[in-house]
Amino acid sequence: IRAQIESAVHIIIQLERMPGGGRKLVTVHEVVRLPGREGTELRELFEYDKTNKRFRASGQLPSTLDVYAQYGVELQLDWFLT
């Protein structure tokens, strides 16, 4: 079952309940398969900065940019730069 989940999930989005009761997206992680061995790791792409009330990019590009392009989804690279 674990292998099926790892092969199916590419992005994890975390929501958090804010003091007013609303929910806010706080992190976006990419699930990265580890080459040559079993398992995965999470690579942070974006994090919500509660102090400045804006998203901060981690500076890492998603490893699946080419897959998105195959489906016609064009992501601007500067979105991922810090």
Side-chain angles (χ1 to χ4, degrees), residues 42-58:
L42 296 179
R43 179 182 299 159
E44 183 180 86
L45 299 176
F46 299 100
E47 179 179 34
Y48 184 68
D49 181 350
K50 294 175 186 173
T51 303
N52 296 320
K53 297 184 180 182
R54 56 183 297 182
F55 283 94
R56 178 189 58 80
S58 68

Side-chain angles (χ1 to χ4, degrees), residues 1 3 9 12 18-23 35 38 40 45 47-48 52 58-59 61-62 65 70 73 76 79-80:
I1 292 176
V9 176
I12 295 177
M18 301 314 253
R23 295 184 187 271
E38 288 188 28
T40 57
L45 299 176
E47 179 179 34
Y48 184 68
N52 296 320
S58 68
L61 295 175
L65 280 177
Q70 289 175 2
V73 177
Q76 296 178 18
W79 290 350
F80 302 96

Side-chain angles (χ1 to χ4, degrees), residues 1-67:
I1 292 176
R2 181 179 177 150
Q4 289 175 329
I5 293 170
E6 289 175 347
S7 68
V9 176
H10 301 282
I11 298 287
I12 295 177
I13 297 172
Q14 180 182 352
L15 300 174
E16 185 176 298
R17 187 177 304 274
M18 301 314 253
R23 295 184 187 271
K24 184 78 168 176
L25 190 149
V26 291
T27 61
V28 178
H29 286 85
E30 177 184 29
V31 179
V32 180
R33 280 83 182 142
L34 300 173
R37 54 185 189 175
E38 288 188 28
T40 57
E41 67 180 19
L42 296 179
R43 179 182 299 159
E44 183 180 86
L45 299 176
F46 299 100
E47 179 179 34
Y48 184 68
D49 181 350
K50 294 175 186 173
T51 303
N52 296 320
K53 297 184 180 182
R54 56 183 297 182
F55 283 94
R56 178 189 58 80
S58 68
Q60 298 187 47
L61 295 175
S63 63
T64 53
L65 280 177
D66 58 335
V67 175

